[in-house]
Structures are given as C-alpha cells and as structure tokens.
Amino acid sequence: MSEAAAPVTTVAPMVAPHGEVLLKLTDVHTYYGHIHALQGISIDVRAGEIVTLIGANGAGKTTTLKTVSGLLHPRTGRVTFEGRDISKTPAHTLVRQGIGHAPEGRRVFSRLTVLENLQMGAFTRSQAEMKEDLEHVYDLFPRLKERVSQGGGSLSGGEQQMLAIGRALMARPRVLLLDEPSLGLSPILVQQIFSIIQEINARGTTILLVEQNALQALTIAHRGYVLQTGSVVLSGSASEMRENEMVRKAYLGEI
Amino acid sequence: MRPDIVRVLQPIVIIAVSLVVVWLLLGGTQQFMNFLTLGAIYALIALGYTMVYGIIELINFAHGDLFMFGAFVAMWILTVPLGMTGAVDNPLQLTVILVVVMLPTMIVMGLLGTFIERFAYRPLRHAPRLAPLITAIGVSFILQNVIYSVFGPSPVNVPQVFPLTRFEFLGGRVSFLSLFMVAIAVFLMVLLQLFVGRTRLGRAMRSTAQDREAAELMGVDINQTIAITFFIAAALAGAGGTIQGLYFGSVQFNLGFFVGLKAFTAAVLGGIGNTTGAALGGFVIAFIEVFATQLGYSRWSEVAVFTVLILVLVFRPSGILGQQLGERA
C-alpha cells in the first residue's frame, strides 16, 4: 500500500516562521501492528506558530499527534523537540519536557471534578505553580470556574472541550497539540474555541492543530500541511493553502 | 453552609442507624462484635480486589492467598523474632508488639504484591483478558504451596498476645482484642479514603483507572501507579491477615480460598471498582454470615452469602454503590 496519491506540491515560500524550529518530524513511519499508518512524514513547527494538519479521516493526523506526544513511537524516522531526539521517550516524561496534548474526543476524567481534572493537568508541577496556572485557565475559560466542583462527565460538550484544553495548559506546555477541538460543537462554540486557540498562541504557546474544519483551521493558522494516507501531500503558508485549487476542492467544500 | 453539613452528617446518621439495627437484629453485643471483626477483615480484603480491578480490570484471584500469606507472616513475626508465647498485660508493650507485627507484615505483603504484579501481570497487560486471569489462579496456587511446604498442611497456632480481659457493654462482653482490631481496620480504611480522595497520587490512581492514556498525557507514570495500587492492596490484605490470626488464634495454608471468595463477593456486592462499596460490602457479607449463625443456620451461612451474590448479579450487576460503566462522553 505504498502508491501514495498526489505528488508533493509546496505552494509558496512560508510566510510566518517566527522563531527557530521547536518540533521536527523527519521521515517518520509509525505502525499500528501491521498497519503502516504514517508513511514518511516530515513536519517542522517553529516557536510561536500555529501549524495545522488537515486531511480526510484516516489520513494519519491523530497518529501524527500521538507520535509526537509519545503515545506511539515511530518505527523509523526521528521526532526532535528543541533539538533533542524524543522518538523513544514515553508520553509521561514528554509532558515534563513541554509537550501538551489535548487528545481527540476530549477524554476528560468524567468521575473527577473539574478542579481535579485541572489538578491532573498540573500533575508534573508544584503546588505553588498550579495556583497561578489555575487563575490563567479560569481567565481563558470563565465557565470552568463556575463549575469547579462539578463532575467532568456532567459538563456539556463545549465545556468538556474547554476543560480538555485547560487541563493540557495546566502543564504549561511550550507546544500544545490539539486534536479536533471543534468536533461536535455548535457553530458559535466553534468560533469561540478558535479565538481562544489564537489567544493561547498569542500568549506564547506554539500550537499544532489537527482539524476536520479546514477552513477555520487555515484562518487562524500560520502554516498548514495536508495529509493523505499517511503522507504529506501539500504544505505551505495558510493563506496560500486557502487559495490552492486542490485544497479548495478537497477540503474547503468547493465544487 | 447548610448543604455541606447535610453532606457530612448524612452518612454518619445512616451508619449509626444501621449499626443500631444490626445490633438489635444480632441480639446484642456478643454477635455484634463478631460481625464487626469479621466485617473489618472482609472489608480490608475486598478493598484490594476492588482497587486492582478498578485500575487494570483484573479479578486478582490470588488476592485471598495474599491475605493468607499475610496471616502467616504476622504469625511468624510473633513466634520467631518476637518469641511470643502468651498474653502481654502491659498495654504499652502490647501496642508496641502490634505495631512491630502489623507494620512489617503490611510492608512485606506490599512488596510481594508489587513483585507479583511486576513479574506475573505486567508482561500480560496487553494480552487477552483471560491470560492474566488464569495467571492469577496460578499465582494463587504458588502462594498456597509455598506456605504448605514451609508450614505444612495443619493449622498453626498464633500466639495470643491479647489478655482475655473483657468488659461489659450493653449487656454483652466485649474483648479489647476485637475492639482494637476493628479500630485499626477502620483507621486503615479512613486513611485509604483520604489517600485516594485527597492526594496527588490518589488522583493519579483514579485517573489511571478511568482513562489510562489520558492519565499518561498528564504525566502519570502508569507502571508506577499500578505498582502502588498493588502495594496498597496487598498491604491491606496483610493487615487483614494479621487481624485474622490474632482473632481466630490459628492460620492454615488454605485459609485464603474461602475468605477470599467472600471478600470478592463483598467487592462485587458493593460495586467493583468502588472503594466505599467494597468496605460496605464487607460488612454486609459479615452481617449475613453472623445473622445466619444467630438464627441457628450457621451451616447455611455460606449459602446465604452466595445467594445474595447471585441476586445482586441478576438484579443490580453494578453493585450497591457501583456506577454504570461507559459514562465517558
């Protein structure tokens, strides 16, 4: 299953690389048993950027994030973070090194309260740091503050998404991986979540965003990659990708 | 705030009323103390079943034998290094002896529990669920046979360090021994609740039980958390074993089977995975057993216990306090 479809087309020179490369995937191949899920992915994320991965179901977006956060490990290829090779590092130590991951489907701890969920997010941090970060998260998501003692499972979908993002922020990551943050949310909430993502980025957190909602993602992102059956088929600055014929047809719903 | 007061008082009132009702049903203090001691032992063991199930969804069939093993460790410490033969009258000395017996027993059992997890269950963590279950039965045989080959098939006496002094209480005679044992068990259970409910590691345990991968993304070392869970579960079994030996005066290599089965029933009855439920279940099972004896049907007490188990599994499979599974949104 190696004949990947389209040729790699780089649209235009990148526009907004703010800093040095923070996260780098070089020819990464990841497997689920015998299934060859990532077939040689190379991605750069620079400090301060929002980079988005778009593509159809099964293209390998979630697998890419899991390979970065250490839930999966590449069979060949390298993942480096701030210059260190993290290809074999287990997930729980990567949190300490600055990689935060809000996984697909929110995965909040439903039988823990909102506060306990946030405390879990700060598992790797000291008590004093946590107090400060809690205020920061309540600042971004005032709704969470109103619901501190409620069970995570009793929140609405949008609130759970806020909790999932807030929880990941509690570890104060330098790069935040967001997997489908807009999934299942109402249009107004989608807008809200996207503007919060921009705000998190403006406060200095680098973001790697996976989205089905390609148009929204390309609106807030600096750069994007299009994934197809485990390979990068297109990459470039977000604005140019929005103009790209193939992207418009395949992912922005134009006919 | 009023709701807070209600929240704190409600369980206390419920417990007090149930205890009075049980006292009346059991016809007084004598049987009531039997119920409390037996309940404490079952509860301590049931907690281990429920914690291990909660975190790796394994019915640890070796857990009853860990309890038996703990009873032998406590007996050994009393007889060999301490050289005890009879009652100790000085309360201070008695307390020291109990600490010197129970604490090392709990630590040794905790280490044995983590050792078993590390070498018997961890390699099978991604195997089909039947594999660790069968392994657990195998571990159970190993533990029994180790004790069998060292101490032999017949019951071994445990030195009775407690003086037989009793005092009158509400028309019955209460021994200091049973009072002391119940107090220790309740203390350990409260400690466990606080640990699981209020501490950072306790939160990590609950998170791991709910969603292992998400807990990992929070920075929780899953292997370490599971090891800690096994340590606590086995240590509690060790405490239960110590109580068992001191209370009944003898220990035998096959003791773990039936007691383990009843404690497992208690865990299911309370709602497996739920620590409060396990403690409650332990006392309910003890009540059924003692009540059957009280009515003159002591031979039927086990039948009664397992009938209740069947009824629970048919009509309320999630147990008295169990949550419905699959509530993840």
Side-chain angles (χ1 to χ4, degrees):
Chain A
M1 41 142 86
S2 58
E3 65 258 88
V8 177
T9 348
T10 303
V11 179
M14 301 173 198
V15 169
H18 304 249
E20 75 266 34
V21 175
L22 193 62
L23 184 68
K24 189 176 181 67
L25 283 77
T26 318
D27 194 28
V28 165
H29 291 258
T30 304
Y31 290 74
Y32 290 105
H34 295 296
I35 300 161
H36 194 175
L38 298 189
Q39 309 178 359
I41 287 211
S42 297
I43 286 173
D44 285 354
V45 180
R46 291 168 183 277
E49 278 189 312
I50 300 181
V51 172
T52 184
L53 306 180
I54 56 181
N57 282 332
K61 303 178 304 254
T62 296
T63 310
T64 306
L65 292 195
K66 285 186 168 181
T67 306
V68 172
S69 67
L71 290 176
L72 297 171
H73 300 289
R75 193 171 290 178
T76 58
R78 270 159 57 93
V79 183
T80 57
F81 178 61
E82 295 178 326
R84 291 185 305 274
D85 189 340
I86 57 164
S87 313
K88 305 253 179 318
T89 317
H92 68 92
T93 38
L94 284 179
V95 184
R96 272 165 237 270
Q97 295 186 22
I99 296 181
H101 184 172
E104 188 177 18
R106 299 157 198 151
R107 309 280 284 268
V108 302
F109 301 113
S110 55
R111 274 174 279 148
L112 266 57
T113 65
V114 168
L115 179 63
E116 286 177 323
N117 267 279
L118 293 173
Q119 287 170 329
M120 278 313 296
F123 186 74
T124 55
R125 305 182 66 78
S126 77
Q127 205 66 20
E129 290 172 316
M130 195 187 75
K131 286 256 161 60
E132 207 183 306
D133 292 353
L134 262 183
E135 288 311 311
H136 174 123
V137 168
Y138 290 154
D139 199 32
L140 276 174
F141 304 105
R143 285 292 276 282
L144 295 183
K145 192 169 188 174
E146 294 164 25
R147 308 217 183 289
V148 272
S149 53
Q150 233 169 285
S154 72
L155 300 183
S156 73
E159 289 164 344
Q160 288 195 3
Q161 188 60 60
M162 294 177 189
L163 182 55
I165 297 176
R167 188 179 64 176
L169 283 176
M170 289 297 290
R172 233 186 252 183
R174 283 192 291 289
V175 60
L176 177 60
L177 316 178
L178 293 172
D179 200 344
E180 304 276 10
S182 77
L183 196 73
L185 301 188
S186 69
I188 300 169
L189 270 175
V190 171
Q191 290 295 340
Q192 209 182 331
I193 289 285
F194 275 101
S195 68
I196 287 169
I197 293 170
Q198 268 185 308
E199 196 180 331
I200 293 167
N201 178 246
R203 294 185 188 192
T205 308
T206 307
I207 286 170
L208 181 56
L209 171 68
V210 158
E211 260 298 334
Q212 291 268 340
N213 193 336
L215 182 60
Q216 282 282 2
L218 287 173
T219 311
I220 66 163
H222 301 109
R223 289 190 301 116
Y225 291 84
V226 176
L227 267 57
Q228 216 168 68
T229 53
S231 312
V232 174
V233 291
L234 188 75
S235 66
S237 83
S239 55
E240 276 138 358
M241 285 182 78
R242 283 200 305 272
E243 305 300 318
N244 180 279
E245 202 62 24
M246 177 204 141
V247 173
R248 295 180 77 94
K249 280 212 176 110
Y251 305 106
L252 303 183
E254 277 190 13
I255 306 154
Chain B
M1 284 204 298
R2 279 199 82 78
D4 271 351
I5 296 172
V6 172
R7 225 163 44 111
V8 174
L9 281 184
Q10 197 187 18
I12 294 176
V13 171
I14 291 176
I15 290 172
V17 170
S18 339
L19 286 180
V20 170
V21 171
V22 168
W23 186 83
L24 289 171
L25 282 175
L26 295 181
T29 310
Q30 218 97 45
Q31 292 299 330
F32 183 72
M33 286 316 292
N34 270 337
F35 149 75
L36 277 187
T37 318
L38 209 56
I41 293 172
Y42 290 159
L44 285 175
I45 308 168
L47 281 167
Y49 275 109
T50 225
M51 288 175 73
V52 166
Y53 184 84
I55 206 145
I56 57 168
E57 291 182 8
L58 165 73
I59 309 281
N60 184 9
F61 277 116
H63 192 66
D65 299 290
L66 280 173
F67 156 79
M68 175 276 296
F69 207 102
F72 271 87
V73 171
M75 179 275 295
W76 184 83
I77 294 176
L78 269 173
T79 25
V80 181
L82 294 181
M84 300 312 298
T85 45
V88 176
D89 285 316
N90 182 344
L92 187 71
Q93 205 184 341
L94 189 60
T95 313
V96 172
I97 288 171
L98 280 175
V99 171
V100 171
V101 172
M102 198 173 245
L103 213 58
T105 303
M106 289 178 73
I107 293 170
V108 167
M109 291 315 296
L111 292 176
L112 181 60
T114 32
F115 179 84
I116 291 170
E117 189 274 328
R118 177 66 187 82
F119 293 104
Y121 302 145
R122 195 185 296 179
L124 296 173
R125 201 169 294 159
H126 301 287
R129 285 174 62 163
L130 201 55
L133 199 69
I134 293 167
T135 306
I137 296 171
V139 172
S140 156
F141 283 133
I142 292 173
L143 292 175
Q144 283 192 29
N145 283 291
V146 166
I147 294 296
Y148 183 97
S149 54
V150 176
F151 295 96
S154 34
V156 180
N157 284 331
V158 179
Q160 289 306 289
V161 290
F162 270 91
L164 290 170
T165 41
R166 290 156 184 267
F167 61 93
E168 293 280 326
F169 180 74
L170 290 174
R173 298 177 126 229
V174 178
S175 69
F176 281 105
L177 169 67
S178 50
L179 212 58
F180 203 86
M181 293 304 151
V182 172
I184 288 179
V186 170
F187 169 74
L188 287 174
M189 284 185 254
V190 170
L191 211 62
L192 177 74
Q193 284 296 0
L194 290 177
F195 174 77
V196 173
R198 303 279 169 83
T199 66
R200 180 170 164 275
L201 275 177
R203 270 200 303 277
M205 276 171 62
R206 284 182 290 148
S207 305
T208 308
Q210 281 181 54
D211 187 334
R212 198 180 292 173
E213 205 174 72
E216 215 176 333
L217 287 177
M218 303 296 111
V220 176
D221 184 342
I222 304 300
N223 285 334
Q224 191 193 50
T225 310
I226 293 176
I228 292 172
T229 308
F230 270 86
F231 185 95
I232 296 174
L236 291 176
T242 312
I243 296 178
Q244 166 87 17
L246 286 171
Y247 193 71
F248 292 97
S250 74
V251 288
Q252 200 174 359
F253 79 100
N254 58 4
L255 165 75
F257 179 70
F258 252 105
V259 180
L261 210 52
K262 283 179 199 161
F264 169 63
T265 306
V268 174
L269 183 63
I272 194 135
N274 181 321
T275 46
T276 319
L280 177 69
F283 285 100
V284 172
I285 295 293
F287 170 73
I288 295 169
E289 223 182 295
V290 177
F291 192 52
T293 311
Q294 166 76 10
L295 294 178
Y297 297 103
S298 62
R299 288 181 173 189
W300 290 85
S301 68
E302 267 138 26
V303 174
V305 167
F306 295 118
T307 306
V308 169
L309 174 66
I310 291 168
L311 291 178
V312 168
L313 287 177
V314 170
F315 292 106
R316 199 177 154 78
S318 57
I320 303 173
L321 298 182
Q323 282 119 337
Q324 296 299 317
L325 299 172
E327 58 179 294
R328 188 180 303 153

PDB file of all heavy atoms in Angstrom, chain B residues 62-73:
ATOM      1  N   ALA B  62      -5.534 -14.272  43.175  1.00  0.00           N
ATOM      2  CA  ALA B  62      -4.503 -14.586  44.158  1.00  0.00           C
ATOM      3  C   ALA B  62      -4.646 -13.728  45.411  1.00  0.00           C
ATOM      4  O   ALA B  62      -3.921 -13.921  46.384  1.00  0.00           O
ATOM      5  CB  ALA B  62      -3.130 -14.387  43.539  1.00  0.00           C
ATOM      6  N   HIS B  63      -5.585 -12.783  45.388  1.00  0.00           N
ATOM      7  CA  HIS B  63      -5.642 -11.820  46.486  1.00  0.00           C
ATOM      8  C   HIS B  63      -6.006 -12.469  47.822  1.00  0.00           C
ATOM      9  O   HIS B  63      -5.454 -12.114  48.863  1.00  0.00           O
ATOM     10  CB  HIS B  63      -6.634 -10.709  46.144  1.00  0.00           C
ATOM     11  CG  HIS B  63      -6.542  -9.540  47.066  1.00  0.00           C
ATOM     12  ND1 HIS B  63      -5.440  -8.733  47.122  1.00  0.00           N
ATOM     13  CD2 HIS B  63      -7.389  -9.074  48.008  1.00  0.00           C
ATOM     14  CE1 HIS B  63      -5.619  -7.809  48.048  1.00  0.00           C
ATOM     15  NE2 HIS B  63      -6.795  -7.990  48.597  1.00  0.00           N
ATOM     16  N   GLY B  64      -6.913 -13.448  47.800  1.00  0.00           N
ATOM     17  CA  GLY B  64      -7.269 -14.165  49.028  1.00  0.00           C
ATOM     18  C   GLY B  64      -6.050 -14.857  49.614  1.00  0.00           C
ATOM     19  O   GLY B  64      -5.882 -14.927  50.838  1.00  0.00           O
ATOM     20  N   ASP B  65      -5.176 -15.346  48.747  1.00  0.00           N
ATOM     21  CA  ASP B  65      -3.983 -16.037  49.229  1.00  0.00           C
ATOM     22  C   ASP B  65      -2.931 -15.063  49.730  1.00  0.00           C
ATOM     23  O   ASP B  65      -2.115 -15.411  50.573  1.00  0.00           O
ATOM     24  CB  ASP B  65      -3.441 -16.930  48.119  1.00  0.00           C
ATOM     25  CG  ASP B  65      -4.474 -17.961  47.723  1.00  0.00           C
ATOM     26  OD1 ASP B  65      -4.734 -18.865  48.521  1.00  0.00           O
ATOM     27  OD2 ASP B  65      -5.067 -17.815  46.639  1.00  0.00           O
ATOM     28  N   LEU B  66      -2.968 -13.837  49.211  1.00  0.00           N
ATOM     29  CA  LEU B  66      -2.091 -12.811  49.775  1.00  0.00           C
ATOM     30  C   LEU B  66      -2.488 -12.563  51.234  1.00  0.00           C
ATOM     31  O   LEU B  66      -1.643 -12.393  52.106  1.00  0.00           O
ATOM     32  CB  LEU B  66      -2.205 -11.509  48.976  1.00  0.00           C
ATOM     33  CG  LEU B  66      -1.406 -11.447  47.680  1.00  0.00           C
ATOM     34  CD1 LEU B  66      -1.739 -10.175  46.911  1.00  0.00           C
ATOM     35  CD2 LEU B  66       0.089 -11.479  47.974  1.00  0.00           C
ATOM     36  N   PHE B  67      -3.791 -12.561  51.452  1.00  0.00           N
ATOM     37  CA  PHE B  67      -4.322 -12.406  52.814  1.00  0.00           C
ATOM     38  C   PHE B  67      -3.814 -13.537  53.714  1.00  0.00           C
ATOM     39  O   PHE B  67      -3.292 -13.311  54.814  1.00  0.00           O
ATOM     40  CB  PHE B  67      -5.852 -12.376  52.730  1.00  0.00           C
ATOM     41  CG  PHE B  67      -6.569 -12.774  53.980  1.00  0.00           C
ATOM     42  CD1 PHE B  67      -6.705 -11.897  55.034  1.00  0.00           C
ATOM     43  CD2 PHE B  67      -7.133 -14.035  54.084  1.00  0.00           C
ATOM     44  CE1 PHE B  67      -7.382 -12.270  56.183  1.00  0.00           C
ATOM     45  CE2 PHE B  67      -7.813 -14.421  55.222  1.00  0.00           C
ATOM     46  CZ  PHE B  67      -7.929 -13.527  56.286  1.00  0.00           C
ATOM     47  N   MET B  68      -3.921 -14.772  53.206  1.00  0.00           N
ATOM     48  CA  MET B  68      -3.450 -15.941  53.950  1.00  0.00           C
ATOM     49  C   MET B  68      -1.950 -15.812  54.214  1.00  0.00           C
ATOM     50  O   MET B  68      -1.468 -16.034  55.327  1.00  0.00           O
ATOM     51  CB  MET B  68      -3.772 -17.193  53.122  1.00  0.00           C
ATOM     52  CG  MET B  68      -3.257 -18.503  53.648  1.00  0.00           C
ATOM     53  SD  MET B  68      -1.544 -18.849  53.189  1.00  0.00           S
ATOM     54  CE  MET B  68      -1.637 -18.965  51.403  1.00  0.00           C
ATOM     55  N   PHE B  69      -1.219 -15.426  53.184  1.00  0.00           N
ATOM     56  CA  PHE B  69       0.232 -15.267  53.295  1.00  0.00           C
ATOM     57  C   PHE B  69       0.559 -14.229  54.379  1.00  0.00           C
ATOM     58  O   PHE B  69       1.449 -14.440  55.207  1.00  0.00           O
ATOM     59  CB  PHE B  69       0.780 -14.802  51.939  1.00  0.00           C
ATOM     60  CG  PHE B  69       2.208 -15.189  51.695  1.00  0.00           C
ATOM     61  CD1 PHE B  69       2.515 -16.258  50.869  1.00  0.00           C
ATOM     62  CD2 PHE B  69       3.251 -14.469  52.259  1.00  0.00           C
ATOM     63  CE1 PHE B  69       3.828 -16.614  50.630  1.00  0.00           C
ATOM     64  CE2 PHE B  69       4.567 -14.822  52.028  1.00  0.00           C
ATOM     65  CZ  PHE B  69       4.855 -15.902  51.208  1.00  0.00           C
ATOM     66  N   GLY B  70      -0.211 -13.138  54.366  1.00  0.00           N
ATOM     67  CA  GLY B  70      -0.015 -12.085  55.374  1.00  0.00           C
ATOM     68  C   GLY B  70      -0.247 -12.618  56.782  1.00  0.00           C
ATOM     69  O   GLY B  70       0.485 -12.292  57.719  1.00  0.00           O
ATOM     70  N   ALA B  71      -1.266 -13.476  56.931  1.00  0.00           N
ATOM     71  CA  ALA B  71      -1.558 -14.062  58.241  1.00  0.00           C
ATOM     72  C   ALA B  71      -0.366 -14.892  58.723  1.00  0.00           C
ATOM     73  O   ALA B  71      -0.007 -14.859  59.895  1.00  0.00           O
ATOM     74  CB  ALA B  71      -2.816 -14.925  58.148  1.00  0.00           C
ATOM     75  N   PHE B  72       0.272 -15.601  57.788  1.00  0.00           N
ATOM     76  CA  PHE B  72       1.437 -16.414  58.164  1.00  0.00           C
ATOM     77  C   PHE B  72       2.645 -15.537  58.487  1.00  0.00           C
ATOM     78  O   PHE B  72       3.404 -15.848  59.404  1.00  0.00           O
ATOM     79  CB  PHE B  72       1.780 -17.415  57.050  1.00  0.00           C
ATOM     80  CG  PHE B  72       1.046 -18.712  57.197  1.00  0.00           C
ATOM     81  CD1 PHE B  72      -0.223 -18.874  56.665  1.00  0.00           C
ATOM     82  CD2 PHE B  72       1.605 -19.762  57.907  1.00  0.00           C
ATOM     83  CE1 PHE B  72      -0.913 -20.056  56.814  1.00  0.00           C
ATOM     84  CE2 PHE B  72       0.923 -20.964  58.070  1.00  0.00           C
ATOM     85  CZ  PHE B  72      -0.344 -21.106  57.531  1.00  0.00           C
ATOM     86  N   VAL B  73       2.828 -14.466  57.720  1.00  0.00           N
ATOM     87  CA  VAL B  73       3.946 -13.563  58.009  1.00  0.00           C
ATOM     88  C   VAL B  73       3.790 -12.996  59.416  1.00  0.00           C
ATOM     89  O   VAL B  73       4.736 -12.992  60.217  1.00  0.00           O
ATOM     90  CB  VAL B  73       4.015 -12.427  56.960  1.00  0.00           C
ATOM     91  CG1 VAL B  73       5.036 -11.371  57.392  1.00  0.00           C
ATOM     92  CG2 VAL B  73       4.383 -12.980  55.592  1.00  0.00           C
TER      93      VAL B  73
END
